[in-house]
Amino acid sequence: MSITLDQAEKLSEAAKSKAKQIGVPMNIAIVDEGANLVSFHRMDNAWLGSVDISIRKAKTARYFDMNSGEIGKLSQPGGPLYNIEHSNGGLISFPGGVLLKDGSGKIIGAIGVSGGSVEQDHDVASAGVAAL
Amino acid sequence: MSITLDQAEKLSEAAKSKAKQIGVPMNIAIVDEGANLVSFHRMDNAWLGSVDISIRKAKTARYFDMNSGEIGKLSQPGGPLYNIEHSNGGLISFPGGVLLKDGSGKIIGAIGVSGGSVEQDHDVASAGVAAL
Amino acid sequence: MSITLDQAEKLSEAAKSKAKQIGVPMNIAIVDEGANLVSFHRMDNAWLGSVDISIRKAKTARYFDMNSGEIGKLSQPGGPLYNIEHSNGGLISFPGGVLLKDGSGKIIGAIGVSGGSVEQDHDVASAGVAAL
Amino acid sequence: MSITLDQAEKLSEAAKSKAKQIGVPMNIAIVDEGANLVSFHRMDNAWLGSVDISIRKAKTARYFDMNSGEIGKLSQPGGPLYNIEHSNGGLISFPGGVLLKDGSGKIIGAIGVSGGSVEQDHDVASAGVAAL
């Protein structure tokens, strides 16, 4: 089972609530099991450049079945995955992309958030995940 | 004034209702005054290839301030805008992209719908516009 | 359920047999439910340009849940989907891409074949499907 | 002489066996003398993002006639090939891409593997090479 639009809407709502709470307008993207876009929301006044980044964060997480920031730890100069970002038409390897799993632990998609610091992005994505 | 996320959500909801009514799952994209994505929704079982098409329809409408289908009338072989689809990273010039205007007639964005016949796509987009 | 690699191998083998039978070396691509590549085979001396085309045919079929040639009927000059090929990074809308369904009719992926005439491509793809 | 599909299939089979042995599902791509794709296999549950990476590793190895990881040693900040990954539509310069040579030492293609750690990727690619 892949994530449904209803589930994606619930997650996005939770992420938006968190974003409002911390006062940072965010871009929120959700992809399904196949890494295809299910939903996207750009809050008013959120960064335009983060439309693309939030979508790539969600895809990056699903592409490698780990949070996007984990990739970045390995892709630094001298690291084992240096410049992996050049694959797949462009990855985003800093935090803000988080995997989505169902109750049994099966991966059903991923959420990507961009618009603030990477810590804020990750927090807002995590608030979305918590609504699953 | 550009379209807000709240307005985009209202429009998308109206478009989804129309899509459910005619029984065709749709992809629904909304861009703002700057042709930047504001929101996107893929209904369950809607075509995967229409993610990209719905977004391009919305952008095409705003790029030229006319419904996407109007471009297609001019881009045919022998027409004045023959193969304009090659510009802007790829345009979609058939119906389903509709301009969004505020009460005074000012353009505030566009909606793009893809998932059925072009008539169905245009009808669902128009249902969204009617909710403005 | 998406197509497995074992299934994809069986289908590719059947497609290759058909290609040998008609004496035309082919490129054979199979994508899963999410339109992601599962397997690819280029027979010796098959056209190099058909690597990309076979993959795009498979993706096109899954993107719109119909055989690739059906899109081409609608994308001609004056047709309702004129120039849809500009979407999704490039579609291939002539025959050779065929949907894959399981016993219950659920779509589990698609096969794309390129290397001969479009009739030959479609026949070889169909031979693959018949092995499901 | 370039690698044949039959040879590529034998190599892929050996690589898959190694992948199963170490318990990591892999993406396995093989390109010919001309750096054009000959075969590709994604094992069930292998990373989706590694479809592209395995193909790029194989191409990178053949583009420069050395294993992909050798490029990465030279492409680091301050190194002689800094950011060479921007060329050719995107290179992958970490291990997992290995050259294929015939009995006389002539290059006949390359294999690229992605799905685990770079050490695992390289080991699985090497298991493929050993089957030549």
Side-chain angles (χ1 to χ4, degrees), chain B residues 38-72:
Chain B
V38 174
S39 71
F40 171 81
H41 300 83
R42 174 157 54 91
M43 295 170 69
D44 298 345
N45 301 313
W47 289 335
L48 294 178
S50 288
V51 175
D52 185 66
I53 291 178
S54 62
I55 295 173
R56 288 186 193 279
K57 281 183 180 174
K59 292 196 176 194
T60 297
R62 175 53 184 132
Y63 282 158
F64 303 102
D65 291 345
M66 60 183 84
N67 292 350
S68 57
E70 297 304 307
I71 303 288

mmCIF file of all heavy atoms in Angstrom, chain B residues 38-72:
data_model
loop_
_atom_site.group_PDB
_atom_site.id
_atom_site.type_symbol
_atom_site.label_atom_id
_atom_site.label_comp_id
_atom_site.label_asym_id
_atom_site.label_seq_id
_atom_site.Cartn_x
_atom_site.Cartn_y
_atom_site.Cartn_z
ATOM 1 N N VAL B 38 2.000 26.593 -6.047
ATOM 2 C CA VAL B 38 1.423 26.864 -4.721
ATOM 3 C C VAL B 38 0.912 25.568 -4.104
ATOM 4 O O VAL B 38 1.140 25.307 -2.922
ATOM 5 C CB VAL B 38 0.260 27.880 -4.806
ATOM 6 C CG1 VAL B 38 -0.424 28.038 -3.450
ATOM 7 C CG2 VAL B 38 0.760 29.215 -5.315
ATOM 8 N N SER B 39 0.208 24.771 -4.896
ATOM 9 C CA SER B 39 -0.314 23.521 -4.339
ATOM 10 C C SER B 39 -0.480 22.493 -5.448
ATOM 11 O O SER B 39 -0.598 22.838 -6.629
ATOM 12 C CB SER B 39 -1.657 23.736 -3.632
ATOM 13 O OG SER B 39 -2.673 24.000 -4.575
ATOM 14 N N PHE B 40 -0.464 21.237 -5.037
ATOM 15 C CA PHE B 40 -0.646 20.125 -5.960
ATOM 16 C C PHE B 40 -1.321 18.985 -5.220
ATOM 17 O O PHE B 40 -0.986 18.691 -4.068
ATOM 18 C CB PHE B 40 0.701 19.648 -6.524
ATOM 19 C CG PHE B 40 0.578 18.376 -7.301
ATOM 20 C CD1 PHE B 40 0.137 18.402 -8.617
ATOM 21 C CD2 PHE B 40 0.841 17.143 -6.713
ATOM 22 C CE1 PHE B 40 -0.033 17.231 -9.327
ATOM 23 C CE2 PHE B 40 0.672 15.959 -7.420
ATOM 24 C CZ PHE B 40 0.227 16.010 -8.738
ATOM 25 N N HIS B 41 -2.266 18.333 -5.882
ATOM 26 C CA HIS B 41 -2.931 17.162 -5.319
ATOM 27 C C HIS B 41 -3.101 16.101 -6.407
ATOM 28 O O HIS B 41 -3.653 16.403 -7.461
ATOM 29 C CB HIS B 41 -4.324 17.512 -4.788
ATOM 30 C CG HIS B 41 -4.318 18.541 -3.702
ATOM 31 N ND1 HIS B 41 -4.260 19.897 -3.965
ATOM 32 C CD2 HIS B 41 -4.342 18.422 -2.346
ATOM 33 C CE1 HIS B 41 -4.264 20.556 -2.813
ATOM 34 N NE2 HIS B 41 -4.313 19.709 -1.821
ATOM 35 N N ARG B 42 -2.635 14.897 -6.128
ATOM 36 C CA ARG B 42 -2.921 13.758 -7.010
ATOM 37 C C ARG B 42 -3.934 12.862 -6.322
ATOM 38 O O ARG B 42 -3.650 12.261 -5.284
ATOM 39 C CB ARG B 42 -1.652 12.970 -7.354
ATOM 40 C CG ARG B 42 -1.942 11.682 -8.155
ATOM 41 C CD ARG B 42 -0.750 11.178 -8.976
ATOM 42 N NE ARG B 42 0.442 10.993 -8.176
ATOM 43 C CZ ARG B 42 0.779 9.844 -7.572
ATOM 44 N NH1 ARG B 42 0.001 8.782 -7.672
ATOM 45 N NH2 ARG B 42 1.876 9.767 -6.860
ATOM 46 N N MET B 43 -5.100 12.760 -6.890
ATOM 47 C CA MET B 43 -6.128 11.882 -6.325
ATOM 48 C C MET B 43 -5.706 10.420 -6.504
ATOM 49 O O MET B 43 -4.986 10.088 -7.441
ATOM 50 C CB MET B 43 -7.477 12.167 -7.009
ATOM 51 C CG MET B 43 -7.998 13.580 -6.708
ATOM 52 S SD MET B 43 -9.449 14.072 -7.705
ATOM 53 C CE MET B 43 -10.706 12.980 -7.006
ATOM 54 N N ASP B 44 -6.151 9.562 -5.594
ATOM 55 C CA ASP B 44 -5.752 8.151 -5.651
ATOM 56 C C ASP B 44 -6.090 7.558 -7.017
ATOM 57 O O ASP B 44 -7.200 7.731 -7.536
ATOM 58 C CB ASP B 44 -6.460 7.356 -4.545
ATOM 59 C CG ASP B 44 -6.074 7.868 -3.150
ATOM 60 O OD1 ASP B 44 -5.071 8.614 -3.042
ATOM 61 O OD2 ASP B 44 -6.793 7.552 -2.187
ATOM 62 N N ASN B 45 -5.110 6.864 -7.603
ATOM 63 C CA ASN B 45 -5.250 6.190 -8.901
ATOM 64 C C ASN B 45 -5.251 7.128 -10.101
ATOM 65 O O ASN B 45 -5.503 6.684 -11.223
ATOM 66 C CB ASN B 45 -6.512 5.318 -8.938
ATOM 67 C CG ASN B 45 -6.500 4.264 -7.848
ATOM 68 O OD1 ASN B 45 -5.496 3.581 -7.670
ATOM 69 N ND2 ASN B 45 -7.586 4.146 -7.094
ATOM 70 N N ALA B 46 -4.979 8.405 -9.874
ATOM 71 C CA ALA B 46 -4.857 9.310 -11.032
ATOM 72 C C ALA B 46 -3.570 8.979 -11.777
ATOM 73 O O ALA B 46 -2.616 8.459 -11.203
ATOM 74 C CB ALA B 46 -4.856 10.763 -10.572
ATOM 75 N N TRP B 47 -3.519 9.292 -13.079
ATOM 76 C CA TRP B 47 -2.351 8.986 -13.900
ATOM 77 C C TRP B 47 -1.075 9.621 -13.346
ATOM 78 O O TRP B 47 -1.041 10.816 -13.029
ATOM 79 C CB TRP B 47 -2.560 9.512 -15.325
ATOM 80 C CG TRP B 47 -3.568 8.746 -16.120
ATOM 81 C CD1 TRP B 47 -3.945 7.446 -15.934
ATOM 82 C CD2 TRP B 47 -4.325 9.230 -17.227
ATOM 83 N NE1 TRP B 47 -4.887 7.100 -16.871
ATOM 84 C CE2 TRP B 47 -5.129 8.157 -17.682
ATOM 85 C CE3 TRP B 47 -4.395 10.453 -17.900
ATOM 86 C CZ2 TRP B 47 -6.002 8.298 -18.762
ATOM 87 C CZ3 TRP B 47 -5.252 10.583 -18.983
ATOM 88 C CH2 TRP B 47 -6.048 9.512 -19.407
ATOM 89 N N LEU B 48 -0.017 8.806 -13.306
ATOM 90 C CA LEU B 48 1.282 9.304 -12.840
ATOM 91 C C LEU B 48 1.861 10.344 -13.798
ATOM 92 O O LEU B 48 2.507 11.301 -13.380
ATOM 93 C CB LEU B 48 2.270 8.143 -12.720
ATOM 94 C CG LEU B 48 1.958 7.086 -11.659
ATOM 95 C CD1 LEU B 48 3.008 5.983 -11.696
ATOM 96 C CD2 LEU B 48 1.903 7.725 -10.278
ATOM 97 N N GLY B 49 1.634 10.157 -15.092
ATOM 98 C CA GLY B 49 2.193 11.093 -16.074
ATOM 99 C C GLY B 49 1.529 12.453 -16.035
ATOM 100 O O GLY B 49 2.040 13.413 -16.617
ATOM 101 N N SER B 50 0.402 12.530 -15.342
ATOM 102 C CA SER B 50 -0.337 13.788 -15.272
ATOM 103 C C SER B 50 0.120 14.686 -14.125
ATOM 104 O O SER B 50 -0.334 15.828 -14.025
ATOM 105 C CB SER B 50 -1.840 13.511 -15.159
ATOM 106 O OG SER B 50 -2.336 13.040 -16.398
ATOM 107 N N VAL B 51 1.000 14.187 -13.278
ATOM 108 C CA VAL B 51 1.628 15.056 -12.274
ATOM 109 C C VAL B 51 2.299 16.203 -13.019
ATOM 110 O O VAL B 51 2.005 17.387 -12.802
ATOM 111 C CB VAL B 51 2.687 14.296 -11.442
ATOM 112 C CG1 VAL B 51 3.409 15.246 -10.497
ATOM 113 C CG2 VAL B 51 2.060 13.128 -10.677
ATOM 114 N N ASP B 52 3.189 15.840 -13.907
ATOM 115 C CA ASP B 52 3.949 16.823 -14.667
ATOM 116 C C ASP B 52 3.052 17.658 -15.583
ATOM 117 O O ASP B 52 3.224 18.878 -15.694
ATOM 118 C CB ASP B 52 4.992 16.078 -15.505
ATOM 119 C CG ASP B 52 5.922 17.003 -16.249
ATOM 120 O OD1 ASP B 52 6.701 17.706 -15.577
ATOM 121 O OD2 ASP B 52 5.875 17.040 -17.488
ATOM 122 N N ILE B 53 2.089 17.010 -16.207
ATOM 123 C CA ILE B 53 1.236 17.722 -17.168
ATOM 124 C C ILE B 53 0.357 18.763 -16.487
ATOM 125 O O ILE B 53 0.201 19.875 -16.991
ATOM 126 C CB ILE B 53 0.387 16.714 -17.980
ATOM 127 C CG1 ILE B 53 1.310 15.914 -18.913
ATOM 128 C CG2 ILE B 53 -0.703 17.421 -18.782
ATOM 129 C CD1 ILE B 53 0.603 14.850 -19.727
ATOM 130 N N SER B 54 -0.198 18.419 -15.329
ATOM 131 C CA SER B 54 -1.072 19.392 -14.653
ATOM 132 C C SER B 54 -0.275 20.628 -14.240
ATOM 133 O O SER B 54 -0.757 21.762 -14.364
ATOM 134 C CB SER B 54 -1.754 18.757 -13.437
ATOM 135 O OG SER B 54 -0.809 18.344 -12.471
ATOM 136 N N ILE B 55 0.949 20.414 -13.771
ATOM 137 C CA ILE B 55 1.792 21.551 -13.373
ATOM 138 C C ILE B 55 2.146 22.395 -14.604
ATOM 139 O O ILE B 55 2.076 23.624 -14.574
ATOM 140 C CB ILE B 55 3.062 21.053 -12.645
ATOM 141 C CG1 ILE B 55 2.682 20.362 -11.319
ATOM 142 C CG2 ILE B 55 4.025 22.213 -12.389
ATOM 143 C CD1 ILE B 55 3.840 19.677 -10.592
ATOM 144 N N ARG B 56 2.492 21.725 -15.704
ATOM 145 C CA ARG B 56 2.842 22.480 -16.925
ATOM 146 C C ARG B 56 1.644 23.231 -17.498
ATOM 147 O O ARG B 56 1.788 24.309 -18.066
ATOM 148 C CB ARG B 56 3.414 21.531 -17.984
ATOM 149 C CG ARG B 56 4.792 21.046 -17.631
ATOM 150 C CD ARG B 56 5.421 20.227 -18.753
ATOM 151 N NE ARG B 56 6.595 19.551 -18.249
ATOM 152 C CZ ARG B 56 7.798 20.125 -18.113
ATOM 153 N NH1 ARG B 56 7.976 21.379 -18.465
ATOM 154 N NH2 ARG B 56 8.816 19.452 -17.612
ATOM 155 N N LYS B 57 0.458 22.659 -17.375
ATOM 156 C CA LYS B 57 -0.737 23.367 -17.864
ATOM 157 C C LYS B 57 -0.956 24.662 -17.085
ATOM 158 O O LYS B 57 -1.264 25.704 -17.675
ATOM 159 C CB LYS B 57 -1.974 22.470 -17.721
ATOM 160 C CG LYS B 57 -2.135 21.416 -18.808
ATOM 161 C CD LYS B 57 -3.433 20.642 -18.586
ATOM 162 C CE LYS B 57 -3.647 19.577 -19.657
ATOM 163 N NZ LYS B 57 -4.838 18.738 -19.363
ATOM 164 N N ALA B 58 -0.816 24.579 -15.774
ATOM 165 C CA ALA B 58 -1.007 25.778 -14.953
ATOM 166 C C ALA B 58 0.048 26.823 -15.322
ATOM 167 O O ALA B 58 -0.266 28.012 -15.496
ATOM 168 C CB ALA B 58 -0.922 25.417 -13.468
ATOM 169 N N LYS B 59 1.294 26.396 -15.459
ATOM 170 C CA LYS B 59 2.361 27.342 -15.799
ATOM 171 C C LYS B 59 2.153 27.934 -17.191
ATOM 172 O O LYS B 59 2.337 29.136 -17.402
ATOM 173 C CB LYS B 59 3.726 26.634 -15.718
ATOM 174 C CG LYS B 59 4.109 26.263 -14.292
ATOM 175 C CD LYS B 59 5.591 25.917 -14.151
ATOM 176 C CE LYS B 59 5.899 25.668 -12.672
ATOM 177 N NZ LYS B 59 7.323 25.647 -12.360
ATOM 178 N N THR B 60 1.771 27.082 -18.148
ATOM 179 C CA THR B 60 1.549 27.566 -19.513
ATOM 180 C C THR B 60 0.485 28.663 -19.523
ATOM 181 O O THR B 60 0.649 29.696 -20.191
ATOM 182 C CB THR B 60 1.131 26.393 -20.433
ATOM 183 O OG1 THR B 60 2.203 25.446 -20.487
ATOM 184 C CG2 THR B 60 0.826 26.869 -21.837
ATOM 185 N N ALA B 61 -0.600 28.449 -18.784
ATOM 186 C CA ALA B 61 -1.674 29.446 -18.740
ATOM 187 C C ALA B 61 -1.148 30.780 -18.208
ATOM 188 O O ALA B 61 -1.409 31.850 -18.766
ATOM 189 C CB ALA B 61 -2.827 28.941 -17.879
ATOM 190 N N ARG B 62 -0.370 30.718 -17.128
ATOM 191 C CA ARG B 62 0.127 31.960 -16.541
ATOM 192 C C ARG B 62 1.250 32.572 -17.375
ATOM 193 O O ARG B 62 1.394 33.801 -17.443
ATOM 194 C CB ARG B 62 0.608 31.689 -15.104
ATOM 195 C CG ARG B 62 1.263 32.864 -14.416
ATOM 196 C CD ARG B 62 0.390 34.129 -14.432
ATOM 197 N NE ARG B 62 1.081 35.270 -13.859
ATOM 198 C CZ ARG B 62 1.151 36.482 -14.424
ATOM 199 N NH1 ARG B 62 0.534 36.719 -15.578
ATOM 200 N NH2 ARG B 62 1.799 37.452 -13.837
ATOM 201 N N TYR B 63 2.052 31.727 -18.034
ATOM 202 C CA TYR B 63 3.154 32.257 -18.855
ATOM 203 C C TYR B 63 2.634 33.205 -19.938
ATOM 204 O O TYR B 63 3.298 34.171 -20.297
ATOM 205 C CB TYR B 63 3.900 31.112 -19.546
ATOM 206 C CG TYR B 63 4.871 30.331 -18.685
ATOM 207 C CD1 TYR B 63 5.245 29.040 -19.047
ATOM 208 C CD2 TYR B 63 5.442 30.870 -17.531
ATOM 209 C CE1 TYR B 63 6.162 28.314 -18.287
ATOM 210 C CE2 TYR B 63 6.348 30.134 -16.770
ATOM 211 C CZ TYR B 63 6.702 28.863 -17.156
ATOM 212 O OH TYR B 63 7.606 28.148 -16.404
ATOM 213 N N PHE B 64 1.453 32.887 -20.477
ATOM 214 C CA PHE B 64 0.942 33.674 -21.605
ATOM 215 C C PHE B 64 -0.411 34.306 -21.298
ATOM 216 O O PHE B 64 -1.069 34.840 -22.202
ATOM 217 C CB PHE B 64 0.875 32.795 -22.856
ATOM 218 C CG PHE B 64 2.210 32.206 -23.186
ATOM 219 C CD1 PHE B 64 2.501 30.889 -22.886
ATOM 220 C CD2 PHE B 64 3.201 33.010 -23.729
ATOM 221 C CE1 PHE B 64 3.752 30.354 -23.154
ATOM 222 C CE2 PHE B 64 4.463 32.488 -23.992
ATOM 223 C CZ PHE B 64 4.745 31.160 -23.703
ATOM 224 N N ASP B 65 -0.850 34.223 -20.051
ATOM 225 C CA ASP B 65 -2.087 34.868 -19.612
ATOM 226 C C ASP B 65 -3.282 34.509 -20.481
ATOM 227 O O ASP B 65 -4.099 35.378 -20.841
ATOM 228 C CB ASP B 65 -1.895 36.390 -19.532
ATOM 229 C CG ASP B 65 -0.959 36.763 -18.396
ATOM 230 O OD1 ASP B 65 -0.704 35.907 -17.520
ATOM 231 O OD2 ASP B 65 -0.487 37.914 -18.359
ATOM 232 N N MET B 66 -3.348 33.234 -20.811
ATOM 233 C CA MET B 66 -4.532 32.725 -21.506
ATOM 234 C C MET B 66 -4.660 31.246 -21.158
ATOM 235 O O MET B 66 -3.702 30.636 -20.672
ATOM 236 C CB MET B 66 -4.418 32.912 -23.020
ATOM 237 C CG MET B 66 -3.251 32.227 -23.699
ATOM 238 S SD MET B 66 -3.159 32.596 -25.489
ATOM 239 C CE MET B 66 -2.274 34.160 -25.497
ATOM 240 N N ASN B 67 -5.827 30.686 -21.352
ATOM 241 C CA ASN B 67 -5.999 29.265 -21.063
ATOM 242 C C ASN B 67 -5.079 28.443 -21.962
ATOM 243 O O ASN B 67 -4.829 28.816 -23.109
ATOM 244 C CB ASN B 67 -7.464 28.874 -21.250
ATOM 245 C CG ASN B 67 -8.338 29.528 -20.182
ATOM 246 O OD1 ASN B 67 -7.822 30.117 -19.217
ATOM 247 N ND2 ASN B 67 -9.643 29.441 -20.345
ATOM 248 N N SER B 68 -4.597 27.314 -21.413
ATOM 249 C CA SER B 68 -3.578 26.530 -22.129
ATOM 250 C C SER B 68 -4.051 26.119 -23.519
ATOM 251 O O SER B 68 -3.269 26.093 -24.477
ATOM 252 C CB SER B 68 -3.177 25.302 -21.304
ATOM 253 O OG SER B 68 -4.301 24.494 -20.993
ATOM 254 N N GLY B 69 -5.323 25.808 -23.654
ATOM 255 C CA GLY B 69 -5.853 25.360 -24.937
ATOM 256 C C GLY B 69 -5.767 26.429 -26.023
ATOM 257 O O GLY B 69 -5.734 26.108 -27.221
ATOM 258 N N GLU B 70 -5.724 27.688 -25.609
ATOM 259 C CA GLU B 70 -5.618 28.772 -26.606
ATOM 260 C C GLU B 70 -4.266 28.733 -27.308
ATOM 261 O O GLU B 70 -4.162 29.044 -28.497
ATOM 262 C CB GLU B 70 -5.813 30.143 -25.942
ATOM 263 C CG GLU B 70 -7.193 30.341 -25.328
ATOM 264 C CD GLU B 70 -8.292 30.132 -26.349
ATOM 265 O OE1 GLU B 70 -8.244 30.775 -27.410
ATOM 266 O OE2 GLU B 70 -9.182 29.276 -26.092
ATOM 267 N N ILE B 71 -3.234 28.357 -26.543
ATOM 268 C CA ILE B 71 -1.891 28.239 -27.127
ATOM 269 C C ILE B 71 -1.892 27.157 -28.207
ATOM 270 O O ILE B 71 -1.313 27.319 -29.282
ATOM 271 C CB ILE B 71 -0.854 27.864 -26.043
ATOM 272 C CG1 ILE B 71 -0.846 28.878 -24.910
ATOM 273 C CG2 ILE B 71 0.536 27.694 -26.654
ATOM 274 C CD1 ILE B 71 -0.237 30.186 -25.270
ATOM 275 N N GLY B 72 -2.556 26.059 -27.898
ATOM 276 C CA GLY B 72 -2.575 24.934 -28.823
ATOM 277 C C GLY B 72 -3.207 25.264 -30.168
ATOM 278 O O GLY B 72 -2.861 24.668 -31.198
#
